[in-house]
Amino acid sequence: MVFFCGSKMALLKSVLSLSALLFLFLSSAQAVEVSHDGRAIIIDGKRRVLLSGSIHYPRSTAEMWPDLIRKAKEGGLDVIETYVFWDVHEPVRRQYDFTGNLDLIRFLKTVQDAGLYAVLRIGPYVCAEWNYGGFPVWLHNLPGVKLRTANDVFMNEMKNFTSLIVNMAKQESLFASQGGPIILAQIENEYGNVMSTYGDAGKAYVDWCANMAVSQDIGVPWIMCQQSDAPQPIINTCNGWYCDQFTPNNPDSPKMWTENWTGWFKSWGGLNPHRTAEDLAFSVARFFQTGGTFQNYYMYHGGTNFGRTAGGPYITTSYDYDAPLDEYGNLNQPKWGHLKELHDVLHSVEGTLTNGNITNDDLGNSVYSTVYTTPEQSTCFLGNTNSTSDATFVFKGKQFTVPAWSVSILPDCQKEVYNTAKVNAQTSVMMKEPNKAESQPGSLSWTWRPEIVDDQVVLGKGHVAAHRLVDQKDAADGASDYLWYMTSVNLKDDDPIWSDNMTLRVNCTGQILHVYINGQYLGSQWALYGTFNYVFEKNVKLNPGNNLISLLSVTVGLQNYGPMFDLVQNGIPGPVEIEGRKGDEKVIKDLSGHLWSYKVGLHGIDHKFFGTDPASASNWQSKDLPTNRSLTWYKTTFKVPLGTDPVAVDLQGLGKGEAWINGKSIGRYWPSYDASQDGCSADPCDYRGSYDNNKCVTNCGRPTQRWYHVPRSFLDEDVNTLVLFEEFGGNPSLVNFQTVTVGSVCADAYEKKTLELACQGRPISAVKFASFGDPQGACGSFSKGSCEGSNDAATVLQNACVGKESCSIDVSENTFGSTTCGSSVTKRLAVEVTC
Ligand code: GAL
């Protein structure tokens, strides 16, 4: 099956003038094919081992893209994968936005300029821990619509958006068939996981998706992930932490992995997930041992959920994902470096892997060998999938030891060049430094203003009214996290409910509720992660006569995953009740069917309190700065931190809300929500055995997210403004700006390797520890072992590295002198340097 713009090529060939030749040279169409033996993706006749990484353009800024993509390329990637995010591109039906960090075309061109390929996952349902899975909420509110099924209203919108994206890319000649970088495109996302819920209509929808996609005529193959019945010619691909056991549904299809989860996302109240470099490399090596051709890291750079883009419920603003490039774009070492080495080895045997004859052998005790043979070369993989026992065995006449849960790669079947459990790359220990801008005072000075200015809101005047409680999505249409539900209740003192002991009870689906009675704050409640319905219940003082009940319901990211996820309720489904007690008797007044008035959003957002224009500058006061006051706006100015290191703001002391820098939202914040106490361990992480996101976690009992990324491009040269909208009440006095940088670097490299050390653009300033032999301990607590090289390792390192931005060390007795370790010890170099 060839996906190639044949007619275009023929036309070009027929006019082979000098200029046409030049055109061909500059942007020649590339044929992307699938080999009939299902063994490989073929680009321009070459069978490929393709290594790819997800970078989502709106989770960073356009200014960051070139650097992120360069680091991806240096890390050995061939391809960048991204979803397309419908809700931010079409926030209002038929009104589009492709500006700033939403400039998809610029992103794809940046990928192209770096000489990389792209995979365009149009979806347009994407999941991705993105608000509402990437669907605009207006879609849900279209009359007669049913999402992700055979429904004409939905299919019409989906086709409209898909065609828009395809045509934009075509117009810029971005498909490989036109000489562009896009080698594959994706339609839908993991629909196979939820399809059964939709019955026969689900299958009809998948078939429609396939036809609709193919009819777009993009000249490169389409994929669907986790869709075991993907209709031909769509290629079914795998997502997961491991995909070695995956087989596509069509024997012709190559074995492709669209999402190798490099870690996991984080939720408010959840722990920091970590997936080790060893385990990630193991999964990749096993995939290529078992016939894979394309593997993508989800995420390679996770980034930041700016604004209200975080999905949910309860996805944090940081989408770091423990990815090879961290949230700020720094190398996450040793992950980045350990994978780079693996990529280099895999690329070096590309021809053998994709053309060779395959011989698999089960060597017992969960150890497997695979030999790829071509007339020119044989390449061997030795995979030990046992999670506890290292394996020592003779293979092709030589003895090998393969640690538990690891794969050794022998490009020539003789010598182990890479083992997934042996990490030679440096570990970077990141640190945060205070803002060193000249004349930046130690603490910031703040002004404030209340959210509730006149009593208009709490007095019950909204935009629309209804005699029922409505779903927050229906009323807010995605325009805000905030929706006021307001009603009045008239009580006579002879009302059967009237008593001194009355309770207000509100049944909520989430995720946060702030309650005001007659304009006075009564209390707040929020759902704990995972239990998104709860009952607010509090004693309430009501007056004889009219009483105003104003409930501010707050969503923290709309559901992004699951069967019919779009129908999950939000807001206050009710009942809303007042209960009166007289002795043993209880009387309940149900307010659910009252006339409710609704107001979407906040006064301060309507009036752009977060903005930089003069209109938003007035009415801020510096006197009587309140702390622990609910629904309060705070504002301060600060100097841009010196240097070029990424910037973070420490929001310790605040409760929950949203933060803006110079009018741009850096996302929701919630530092007062501590991560759960349980699940962390003081022992080093034993990654062996299948990973899941509860393994190797950190941050127990600490704020789920204390630091928030402030992209440098959001900052002005001189004075900058930070505005916070605080919901629960907090104290901004501890807020401060910091830069994120490498503090120290460690390594524990094996003999016969070259160790590269770098402080990310800064000079290495001192050697804290160095020993070649059998050093003990881990980064930060290394100690010398029982044998050492005869040359002083610290002096060798001092001479080679101190004062330099990077250095390379040949880890061998040549460099460090002979040892008395004996031949049974594999010697290592342990190093710790400060930056
Ligand atoms: C997958 C999904 C991705 C992302 C991932 C978890 O199921 O396709 O979009 O949500 O899970 O990070």
Side-chain angles (χ1 to χ4, degrees):
M1 151 193 7
V2 180
F3 296 81
F4 187 63
C5 243
S7 54
K8 188 164 201 170
M9 201 57 191
L11 183 73
L12 282 172
K13 277 185 182 154
S14 69
V15 286
L16 264 188
S17 64
L18 196 64
S19 64
L21 257 179
L22 190 67
F23 170 75
L24 267 177
F25 176 71
L26 287 176
S27 72
S28 53
Q30 303 209 48
V32 181
E33 303 166 63
V34 167
S35 72
H36 286 296
D37 54 7
R39 286 286 297 283
I41 292 277
I42 309 177
I43 303 181
D44 264 355
K46 187 169 180 217
R47 291 171 164 248
R48 297 304 309 265
V49 159
L50 291 170
L51 293 155
S52 170
S54 288
I55 300 178
H56 293 156
Y57 53 98
R59 285 179 157 143
S60 52
T61 61
E63 291 77 7
M64 290 169 71
W65 298 339
D67 183 56
L68 294 173
I69 292 165
R70 180 182 58 78
K71 286 171 173 161
K73 187 176 185 184
E74 256 173 46
L77 297 193
D78 311 288
V79 185
I80 303 295
E81 193 175 280
T82 185
Y83 280 130
V84 179
F85 299 87
W86 187 359
D87 61 333
V88 286
H89 290 307
E90 195 176 351
V92 176
R93 190 163 180 262
R94 303 298 180 261
Q95 289 180 27
Y96 299 104
D97 184 1
F98 288 91
T99 58
N101 67 353
L102 303 182
D103 191 342
L104 171 63
I105 298 298
R106 175 168 168 192
F107 180 78
L108 293 168
K109 287 186 174 171
T110 314
V111 171
Q112 183 175 29
D113 291 347
L116 296 182
Y117 294 121
V119 172
L120 192 64
R121 307 178 80 193
I122 300 179
Y125 164 71
V126 296
C127 190
E129 290 70 70
W130 193 261
N131 194 47
Y132 214 35
F135 282 149
V137 181
W138 56 255
L139 194 64
H140 159 82
N141 290 328
L142 290 179
V145 80
K146 280 194 183 143
L147 307 192
R148 297 185 86 193
T149 189
N151 168 278
D152 286 341
V153 182
F154 172 69
M155 293 188 301
N156 179 44
E157 295 301 320
M158 172 161 165
K159 184 173 181 192
N160 184 69
F161 183 73
T162 305
S163 310
L164 176 94
I165 296 298
V166 164
N167 291 335
M168 280 173 67
K170 274 189 187 171
Q171 236 168 40
E172 301 288 337
S173 298
L174 288 173
F175 289 102
S177 48
Q178 305 172 291
I182 305 170
I183 52 167
L184 299 164
Q186 179 182 307
I187 197 75
E188 250 293 345
N189 192 74
E190 294 191 335
Y191 191 68
N193 292 359
V194 298
M195 188 162 115
S196 60
T197 324
Y198 299 84
D200 291 346
K203 181 64 191 148
Y205 169 62
V206 167
D207 290 345
W208 173 84
C209 287
N211 285 328
M212 189 271 283
V214 170
S215 75
Q216 301 283 339
D217 195 19
I218 57 176
V220 299
W222 283 94
I223 56 175
M224 280 184 175
C225 55
Q226 299 288 98
Q227 193 69 46
S228 57
D229 61 350
Q232 296 308 314
I234 313 275
I235 305 168
N236 171 35
T237 65
C238 184
N239 291 347
W241 281 300
Y242 306 92
C243 279
D244 47 300
Q245 298 307 311
F246 170 77
T247 37
N249 54 333
N250 170 11
D252 268 10
S253 294
K255 177 168 168 175
M256 290 168 59
W257 191 357
T258 27
E259 289 181 23
N260 181 357
W261 301 323
T262 52
W264 201 238
F265 55 85
K266 192 160 80 158
S267 305
W268 298 114
L271 299 167
N272 285 3
H274 295 287
R275 185 180 186 194
T276 63
E278 292 92 329
D279 180 54
L280 185 54
F282 169 75
S283 70
V284 178
R286 280 291 292 159
F287 183 70
F288 285 100
Q289 173 167 15
T290 53
T293 176
F294 169 99
Q295 186 273 158
N296 175 73
Y297 297 101
Y298 185 100
M299 298 298 294
Y300 195 75
H301 170 257
T304 309
N305 291 313
F306 297 115
R308 303 190 301 111
T309 60
Y314 277 25
I315 302 297
T316 55
T317 296
S318 168
Y319 195 65
D320 180 86
Y321 221 92
D322 198 22
L325 300 178
D326 74 9
E327 175 175 9
Y328 303 98
N330 297 314
L331 305 187
N332 177 8
Q333 293 278 45
K335 207 175 251 188
W336 181 88
H338 191 47
L339 295 174
K340 173 184 165 66
E341 258 186 69
L342 171 59
H343 302 155
D344 292 348
V345 177
L346 290 170
H347 280 139
S348 74
V349 292
E350 183 172 59
T352 326
L353 294 192
T354 54
N355 293 300
N357 290 330
I358 305 170
T359 316
N360 284 308
D361 272 313
D362 182 343
L363 307 183
N365 202 20
S366 308
V367 178
Y368 305 94
S369 67
T370 305
V371 185
Y372 286 93
T373 314
T374 63
E376 296 80 39
Q377 192 188 14
S378 286
T379 294
C380 294
F381 286 75
L382 302 174
N384 181 357
T385 65
N386 192 303
S387 57
T388 48
S389 332
D390 299 350
T392 299
F393 52 91
V394 173
F395 177 74
K396 292 189 180 279
K398 276 186 149 180
Q399 183 169 302
F400 290 91
T401 296
V402 182
W405 204 253
S406 81
V407 178
S408 291
I409 305 177
L410 293 53
D412 59 357
C413 284
Q414 296 291 314
K415 189 169 161 260
E416 171 193 309
V417 164
Y418 186 86
N419 174 275
T420 59
K422 297 179 188 166
V423 177
N424 295 294
Q426 73 174 45
T427 296
S428 299
V429 182
M430 305 307 290
M431 64 167 197
K432 301 197 174 64
E433 286 187 328
N435 181 358
K436 283 192 281 209
E438 280 162 51
S439 72
Q440 175 68 51
S443 66
L444 301 164
S445 65
W446 292 89
T447 55
W448 73 284
R449 60 192 294 185
E451 159 63 15
I452 298 171
V453 267
D454 49 38
D455 286 340
Q456 211 203 10
V457 166
V458 279
L459 291 183
K461 293 195 194 101
H463 307 301
V464 284
H467 277 281
R468 62 189 175 88
L469 292 161
V470 302
D471 188 280
Q472 191 153 343
K473 286 188 295 301
D474 300 355
D477 212 26
S480 176
D481 285 359
Y482 300 93
L483 178 66
W484 285 97
Y485 291 66
M486 297 168 289
T487 195
S488 59
V489 50
N490 206 310
L491 290 182
K492 301 214 171 73
D493 51 13
D494 60 353
D495 192 294
I497 201 176
W498 184 261
S499 70
D500 290 341
N501 186 2
M502 283 185 281
T503 305
L504 174 71
R505 197 158 43 231
V506 186
N507 204 335
C508 295
T509 52
Q511 286 87 47
I512 300 177
L513 183 71
H514 305 287
V515 178
Y516 287 76
I517 303 291
N518 294 325
Q520 297 300 310
Y521 177 65
L522 180 68
S524 301
Q525 191 159 339
W526 45 280
L528 279 173
Y529 176 74
T531 317
F532 292 107
N533 41 12
Y534 60 90
V535 178
F536 172 93
E537 193 161 356
K538 202 154 182 185
N539 274 1
V540 62
K541 281 239 161 320
L542 298 173
N543 306 322
N546 217 21
N547 290 277
L548 286 156
I549 299 185
S550 309
L551 310 173
L552 179 61
S553 170
V554 189
T555 50
V556 188
L558 299 181
Q559 184 85 22
N560 58 261
Y561 182 68
M564 314 254 180
F565 75 88
D566 51 297
L567 300 180
V568 169
Q569 280 191 319
N570 295 98
I572 304 173
V576 177
E577 298 169 334
I578 298 172
E579 184 181 286
R581 260 152 291 174
K582 283 179 185 152
D584 289 343
E585 203 186 332
K586 282 184 186 170
V587 187
I588 290 176
K589 197 183 243 323
D590 187 346
L591 309 182
S592 313
H594 268 212
L595 182 66
W596 288 87
S597 172
Y598 293 97
K599 183 179 183 317
V600 177
L602 297 172
H603 172 79
I605 289 182
D606 290 350
H607 293 84
K608 296 208 166 45
F609 286 5
F610 54 83
T612 47
D613 55 326
S616 59
S618 52
N619 293 326
W620 293 84
Q621 52 197 89
S622 51
K623 267 214 330 240
D624 305 325
L625 190 85
T627 56
N628 295 323
R629 184 186 186 284
S630 62
L631 305 198
T632 302
W633 292 83
Y634 291 104
K635 177 151 126 173
T636 190
T637 55
F638 63 97
K639 298 249 166 152
V640 61
L642 296 180
T644 54
D645 286 328
V647 179
V649 59
D650 177 359
L651 293 184
Q652 197 188 182
L654 272 306
K656 145 88 180 51
E658 189 169 346
W660 290 263
I661 299 281
N662 296 330
K664 293 199 170 86
S665 173
I666 56 165
R668 302 186 184 103
Y669 68 79
W670 199 346
S672 64
Y673 195 166
D674 285 342
S676 72
Q677 295 283 351
D678 305 322
C680 300
S681 162
D683 300 333
C685 153
D686 182 0
Y687 62 83
R688 301 171 310 166
S690 287
Y691 177 77
D692 70 61
N693 56 306
N694 298 313
K695 212 168 153 178
C696 308
V697 288
T698 59
N699 207 40
C700 283
R702 302 217 192 97
T704 316
Q705 189 182 342
R706 179 174 152 186
W707 287 277
Y708 295 81
H709 181 203
V710 178
R712 283 248 174 214
S713 61
F714 285 15
L715 296 172
D716 291 333
E717 290 259 308
D718 192 21
V719 176
N720 296 278
T721 307
L722 167 68
V723 174
L724 305 172
F725 171 63
E726 172 56 46
E727 275 177 56
F728 290 134
N731 180 351
S733 65
L734 294 174
V735 170
N736 69 100
F737 287 83
Q738 296 169 346
T739 51
V740 185
T741 182
V742 185
S744 60
V745 164
C746 292
D748 194 3
Y750 288 78
E751 192 178 13
K752 300 194 184 109
K753 292 280 175 182
T754 304
L755 171 65
E756 314 271 352
L757 293 177
C759 279
Q760 197 173 284
R762 294 201 301 169
I764 295 167
S765 67
V767 178
K768 270 181 91 177
F769 180 88
S771 173
F772 174 75
D774 63 345
Q776 309 292 307
C779 184
S781 61
F782 283 130
S783 60
K784 294 189 177 186
S786 57
C787 57
E788 257 201 318
S790 55
N791 303 339
D792 180 44
T795 310
V796 174
L797 263 290
Q798 169 86 27
N799 294 338
C801 302
V802 171
K804 297 188 182 145
E805 285 189 3
S806 65
C807 57
S808 287
I809 312 283
D810 168 33
V811 183
S812 70
E813 289 196 346
N814 282 344
T815 314
F816 293 99
S818 55
T819 70
T820 52
C821 300
S823 59
S824 63
V825 173
T826 312
K827 289 176 279 299
R828 288 175 295 109
L829 169 68
V831 186
E832 183 176 350
V833 301
T834 41
C835 293

